[in-house]
Amino acid sequence: MNDNLFIVVFAAAIYYGTPLVFAALGEILAERSGVINLGVEGMMLLGAVGACWVATSIDGPAGVVLPIAVVAAMLFAAAGALIHAFLTITLRVNQIISGLALTIFAGVAGVSSYLAGLWDLGQAPVANQFGKMDLLGWGDLPVLGPILFNQTLLTYLSWLLVVLTSIYIFRTRWGLQLRAVGESPQTADSVGVAVQRSRYLHVLAGGAFAGIAGACFSLSILPTWQNGMTLGQGWIALALVIFGFWRPDLMLVGAYLFGGLSSLRYTLQARGVEIPQLFLDSLPYVMTIVVLVVVSNSAARRQLGAPAALGKPYEREER
Amino acid sequence: MSETSVVGAVTANAVTAFGVTKRFPGVVANEDVTFDVRVGEVHALLGENGAGKTTLSNILTGLYRPDEGHLLVADRETIFESPKAAIDAGIGMVHQHFRLIPTFTVTENIILGTQPPSRRFLIDVKSAEDRIVELAEQFAMPVDPRAKVWQLSVGEQQRVEILKVLYRDAWVLIMDEPTAVLTPPEAESLVTTLRSMARQGRSVIFISHKLGEVASIADRITVLRDGKSVATVEAAGSSRESLAELMVGREVTSVIRQGGGALAGAATVLSVDSLSALGDRGRPALTDVSLQVKAGEILGIAGVAGNGQRELVEVLAGLRPRTRGSIDIDGDAMERTDARYPIRMGVAYVPQDRLGTGLAPDLSIAENLILKRYRRPPISRAPFLRPSVIASEADRLMTQFDVRAPSADTPTRRLSGGNVQKVLLAREMSGAPKVLVVSSPTQGLDVGAVATVHQLLLDAAANGVGVLLVSEDLDEVMALSDRIAVMYEGKILASIDASEADISRIGMLMGGADLVEGQGS
């Protein structure tokens, strides 16, 4: 059944797109509150190292170890997000600079690699991994079965979170407040919405989601530790937020498009299709640049629905 | 007087302020302010800019805490700890600059920050909308709860602001300069709404510096001057003159244009033909605008802000490219878009943003005064500026235009609004222009400075300059202009002789009512 190239490519697109979904979903929450966090890549690496550490150092059944590993990933990445939140929300540091600093601080030459060395990670694949499983018994459906229902638990979790986050943003009172804080913190403040608290919470939630994205790498895709193992996918997630107009449902489509591009090198190579390796490797990044260039001017961003207060620190007017 | 006697003395008051004092470092913003607002009353707070109206409303809405004095809401002593406490006590504020989110629907804007009707965790939008429609009908303010706010006119947006306050069960509405952004018909419908609220037992505090409207809208008027409450008077039976005196503290003579105007046979100094230009967002902001101004004439442009006035003056000043059309200054075509070009052709420009666009706030008065002439003698010689010439020129202009400042070296940002405007006019007039383009020349100025600026504009016209006066203040346009053109959505709807202009007709035009008769210039 898996011989069909079409099915293989699509299944791989979803598998490799899953970390992008988590990371971009988290960034949507943060940006909807008006805080842009370029530290996604760094936070993913923190999540990856945290998850790998738990999976390596705790023995036990997968049903116990893996949830703990995922929670650890969320906490590690949220700790990174907390630094960004404190700098940008409380101290009102430039969000771009703080986010870049976070990625450098946590990235390949930073904390994540240091911790991995300290804990001696990456010597062998982790014992407990997220493997593909047929959760609902629908894996035998023609075509759709192997594409949609032969995935890891993390993928199913990402779908659940996309649905819940969409409902949260657009249908609940808290979502309304979140959008108001990102559009006009002055207005939100004037009707009693706690602007700073909302921004903290959503930046932290965004960090936790990025942590799960990191866990996708160290618990499933690789599944071990390698320095800088997220391969710049955090940057692609940032582009996806814009690509999806800050909406979870549209972002999901984009994530699988980029996931498909990322996976081409594995799927095509395995079939002996002759396309230069470098070209395939560069595809997702080239696409990212194209997306970012298209939406880089601020007028276009406004039309695409970027939160109006994105990137702007909020300070209450006082005399 | 003790507190209890205050409480005993007043009954059925919605709000009582007694001896309220608020100090900021270096300023006493409110000093011993005392007034009371009855239930079912429209009560105006009248005062000039800087008289303490804003500080007072910030105290009433919980943003500031008074240093001294008492505040009673529904006859109970209250000090608000936060804006939320004021809202909970039933005091709502409609700000001059709306606090609305353009991309949200009317309903979303109104329920934001409240506990909206919900099913499980999801907002029950339908019942929120029903409640809003009900309130809107009760107070005669039709509005579509599903419309996005950016689609609404300014008048409709104001209704949303009012509904936002009513939705929170406010019994006291504070309205800050509510008519400043409205066309006369919109202002009339606002008055209807405020009256119906008062009839239904709510109270309105109406903040304004416009004498005329205060006298016609309010039941009683409390006049503020220099942070103090000067008097509370019944609106019926108080004249504009007496209110103006209370407000300013001396007798005020307002400038009214008598006679004047272009002389027969005067040359046309500004001729604009079929001018079109784009706005900041790339959409057409000016469409096919044609107008002429003769030497010695004042052409007033009336209209609600945002109907192309800013784009028009920017094109004339060479700051915005036009997409088509021609501009002639005293018979010579202005060909290029370049700020230096109009200056050389004799166009003087007083922008609305005086201190940002008009002057360099950190430079001295003297430096600002030569900003348009420093390239040529006598101000400069070869590459060098001549400080002695600059200083004597500054002295001359400061005397001539009555600029009050410690010295010519004072940075312009330290000056009061009136003096800033005088510096700007002095610089523009010193270039001996043929055309003077002024935009909202008295916005934010106090009554005395307004009169001075008006006189300067009339002097300019008397000296043969053609003046294009763009202003949102209809009274100003009517008082100074020889002819009045009304702008609406980037077009000039009509051009009327000032002697034939009446306020209701211009008001209709400002709202876009197209005239079949009387069009053309």
Side-chain angles (χ1 to χ4, degrees):
Chain A
M1 187 163 56
N2 277 6
D3 289 349
N4 188 328
L5 179 65
F6 172 82
I7 288 175
V8 172
V9 168
F10 274 76
I14 291 177
Y15 181 64
Y16 289 101
T18 296
L20 291 173
V21 172
F22 281 115
L25 195 61
E27 184 67 11
I28 285 176
L29 284 175
E31 293 197 13
R32 280 276 180 184
S33 81
V35 180
I36 190 162
N37 187 350
L38 298 188
V40 179
E41 178 76 5
M43 296 189 300
M44 282 170 69
L45 284 168
L46 287 175
V49 79
C52 189
W53 173 55
V54 169
T56 309
S57 53
I58 298 180
D59 286 329
V64 177
V65 175
L66 289 178
I68 298 176
V70 170
V71 169
M74 294 169 75
L75 292 176
F76 269 61
L82 183 63
I83 300 174
H84 182 66
F86 179 72
L87 287 174
T88 59
I89 302 168
T90 304
L91 300 184
R92 302 186 187 93
V93 170
N94 180 306
Q95 295 179 3
I96 304 296
I97 292 172
S98 167
L100 286 173
L102 174 57
T103 286
I104 295 167
F105 168 74
V108 188
V111 173
S112 65
S113 301
Y114 170 76
L115 290 177
L118 191 70
W119 294 328
D120 203 20
L121 301 177
Q123 302 303 327
V126 293
N128 289 303
Q129 310 173 2
F130 281 102
K132 303 216 167 178
M133 58 190 294
D134 183 0
L135 189 62
L136 298 169
W138 294 349
D140 294 334
L141 288 172
V143 187
L144 285 184
I147 294 178
L148 294 179
F149 302 115
N150 185 28
Q151 296 286 353
T152 68
L153 261 179
L154 287 169
T155 299
Y156 305 133
L157 175 66
S158 74
W159 292 345
L160 181 68
L161 283 178
V162 165
V163 171
L164 289 180
T165 306
S166 277
I167 293 173
Y168 171 79
I169 293 177
F170 296 109
R171 302 286 302 279
T172 69
R173 179 158 73 94
W174 306 286
L176 183 67
Q177 295 180 353
L178 164 67
R179 286 183 286 138
V181 166
E183 287 291 334
S184 171
Q186 294 79 6
T187 304
D189 195 17
S190 74
V191 293
V193 176
V195 173
Q196 311 294 61
R197 188 177 68 190
S198 172
R199 288 189 162 180
Y200 260 96
L201 285 176
H202 291 99
V203 170
L204 288 179
F209 282 26
I212 308 179
C216 289
F217 284 92
S218 62
L219 298 182
S220 181
I221 293 177
L222 267 177
T224 177
W225 173 260
Q226 260 176 30
N227 289 346
M229 69 195 299
T230 51
L231 296 170
Q233 302 274 304
W235 300 107
I236 296 176
L238 282 162
L240 280 173
V241 173
I242 303 166
F243 184 90
F245 303 162
W246 291 265
R247 292 173 52 129
D249 46 355
L250 299 177
M251 178 277 294
L252 189 75
V253 176
Y256 291 156
L257 177 66
F258 277 82
L261 290 175
S262 298
S263 68
L264 276 182
R265 65 166 152 174
Y266 308 113
T267 46
L268 292 186
Q269 227 169 28
R271 286 174 183 259
V273 180
E274 288 295 325
I275 296 178
Q277 175 74 22
L278 271 174
F279 175 72
L280 289 179
D281 282 356
S282 60
L283 259 185
Y285 307 104
V286 171
M287 280 291 284
T288 303
I289 292 170
V290 169
V291 169
L292 289 177
V293 166
V294 168
V295 298
S296 59
N297 92 42
S298 59
R301 266 179 34 186
R302 208 175 304 137
Q303 265 171 356
L304 292 177
L310 184 60
K312 292 178 193 147
Y314 175 61
E315 189 167 13
R316 202 181 262 181
E317 279 172 45
E318 308 243 7
R319 186 159 165 181
Chain B
M1 212 189 297
S2 74
E3 274 169 49
T4 44
S5 68
V6 174
V7 176
V10 287
T11 49
N13 275 353
V15 175
T16 309
F18 181 75
V20 169
T21 300
K22 177 72 186 172
R23 297 183 195 89
F24 293 105
V27 232
V28 183
N30 283 151
E31 190 176 353
D32 197 18
V33 172
T34 299
F35 72 102
D36 59 275
V37 181
R38 293 173 193 148
V39 170
E41 176 187 48
V42 179
H43 192 108
L45 291 178
L46 178 68
E48 294 192 75
N49 294 303
K53 293 171 299 184
T54 308
T55 305
L56 188 57
S57 62
N58 283 338
I59 290 173
L60 293 173
T61 53
L63 213 56
Y64 298 154
R65 299 183 60 169
D67 296 326
E68 284 166 35
H70 306 279
L71 201 59
L72 284 76
V73 175
D75 291 347
R76 204 170 320 143
E77 172 104 35
T78 319
I79 297 271
F80 296 130
E81 299 284 339
S82 70
K84 196 164 179 312
I87 294 169
D88 292 344
I91 296 189
M93 171 110 185
V94 175
H95 294 271
Q96 186 179 2
H97 303 286
F98 301 148
R99 306 265 166 99
L100 295 174
I101 297 174
T103 52
F104 278 21
T105 65
V106 168
T107 304
E108 285 177 327
N109 266 290
I110 291 174
I111 64 177
L112 177 65
T114 66
Q115 188 87 47
S118 301
R119 262 176 292 133
R120 303 247 176 84
F121 294 106
L122 306 186
I123 296 171
D124 184 357
V125 178
K126 185 76 186 65
S127 37
E129 285 172 356
D130 290 347
R131 169 95 200 283
I132 289 164
V133 169
E134 196 182 299
L135 272 175
E137 278 170 8
Q138 188 184 348
F139 296 103
M141 289 187 287
V143 68
D144 174 8
R146 291 189 184 169
K148 302 261 192 208
V149 162
W150 61 265
Q151 298 171 317
L152 303 180
S153 70
V154 176
E156 288 171 314
Q157 291 185 17
Q158 189 178 56
R159 283 182 212 151
V160 178
E161 276 283 13
I162 297 173
L163 284 169
K164 207 164 114 181
V165 173
L166 293 173
Y167 186 88
R168 288 163 170 75
D169 289 326
W171 288 94
V172 180
L173 253 90
I174 305 177
M175 309 222 32
D176 189 9
E177 305 274 0
T179 60
V181 291
L182 302 182
T183 62
E186 281 176 332
E188 266 172 49
S189 97
L190 171 68
V191 172
T192 313
T193 297
L194 296 185
R195 281 271 140 232
S196 101
M197 281 194 270
R199 256 201 318 280
Q200 296 178 44
R202 308 199 187 207
S203 305
V204 178
I205 299 178
F206 188 98
I207 298 173
S208 180
H209 68 269
K210 291 187 192 163
L211 299 164
E213 72 175 19
V214 157
S216 65
I217 293 171
D219 297 307
R220 290 188 305 153
I221 303 164
T222 295
V223 183
L224 295 178
R225 185 171 79 224
D226 298 334
K228 297 177 194 131
S229 49
V230 184
T232 298
V233 296
E234 295 285 334
S238 55
S239 69
R240 277 176 81 130
E241 290 73 25
S242 65
L243 285 173
E245 259 189 74
L246 284 170
M247 206 164 126
V248 185
R250 60 185 157 79
E251 214 172 310
V252 180
T253 48
S254 57
V255 176
I256 290 167
R257 179 118 226 225
Q258 290 157 336
L263 301 168
T268 300
V269 286
L270 172 65
S271 174
V272 173
D273 191 38
S274 312
L275 185 71
S276 297
L278 301 179
D280 291 340
R281 296 199 174 189
R283 301 214 180 89
L286 286 178
T287 328
D288 222 9
V289 168
S290 299
L291 53 86
Q292 279 89 36
V293 183
K294 289 187 173 148
E297 184 185 42
I298 299 183
L299 172 65
I301 305 272
V304 179
N307 276 293
Q309 299 97 316
R310 186 167 64 86
E311 287 82 0
L312 174 63
V313 297
E314 285 178 359
V315 170
L316 293 177
L319 298 173
R320 178 180 292 275
R322 62 192 116 135
T323 48
R324 58 181 289 255
S326 66
I327 301 168
D328 291 293
I329 307 297
D330 202 12
D332 297 326
M334 193 198 287
E335 275 147 10
R336 287 188 294 160
T337 300
D338 175 345
R340 269 166 83 174
Y341 208 65
I343 295 171
R344 229 179 302 158
M345 295 185 74
V347 180
Y349 173 48
V350 177
Q352 179 168 15
D353 176 20
R354 295 186 274 270
L355 212 46
T357 312
L359 299 172
D362 287 325
L363 295 189
S364 71
I365 296 172
E367 286 166 323
N368 270 292
L369 283 172
I370 57 145
L371 267 187
K372 285 194 170 172
R373 292 188 292 153
Y374 68 90
R375 289 191 187 87
R376 290 184 302 276
I379 305 294
S380 62
R381 190 156 48 191
F384 299 106
L385 294 172
R386 297 164 73 188
S388 59
V389 178
I390 293 170
S392 65
E393 183 69 3
D395 283 344
R396 185 179 70 81
L397 287 171
M398 284 175 72
T399 317
Q400 188 187 335
F401 285 86
D402 190 28
V403 177
R404 291 183 203 164
S407 87
D409 297 327
T410 311
T412 45
R413 73 182 143 77
R414 297 244 188 92
L415 302 179
S416 70
N419 281 307
V420 164
Q421 191 67 307
K422 285 187 233 167
V423 170
L424 190 47
L425 275 164
R427 181 186 76 202
E428 294 302 322
M429 293 311 294
S430 68
K434 292 167 182 158
V435 177
L436 173 62
V437 178
V438 286
S439 182
S440 299
T442 58
Q443 191 181 52
L445 301 188
D446 62 43
V447 174
V450 168
T452 311
V453 169
H454 284 171
Q455 193 57 53
L456 287 171
L457 294 179
L458 294 178
D459 291 349
N463 288 330
V465 176
V467 179
L468 185 75
L469 165 69
V470 176
S471 176
E472 288 149 38
D473 184 344
L474 191 49
D475 292 337
E476 175 173 88
V477 172
M478 306 252 318
L480 296 179
S481 309
D482 300 303
R483 281 186 303 126
I484 297 168
V486 182
M487 277 194 91
Y488 179 74
E489 290 192 341
K491 297 191 184 77
I492 296 218
L493 283 195
S495 168
I496 307 164
D497 221 55
S499 54
E500 295 160 18
D502 71 281
I503 200 150
S504 63
R505 183 166 161 214
I506 291 180
M508 295 291 286
L509 287 165
M510 281 166 70
D514 216 335
L515 275 198
V516 184
E517 31 112 37
Q519 227 164 352
S521 60

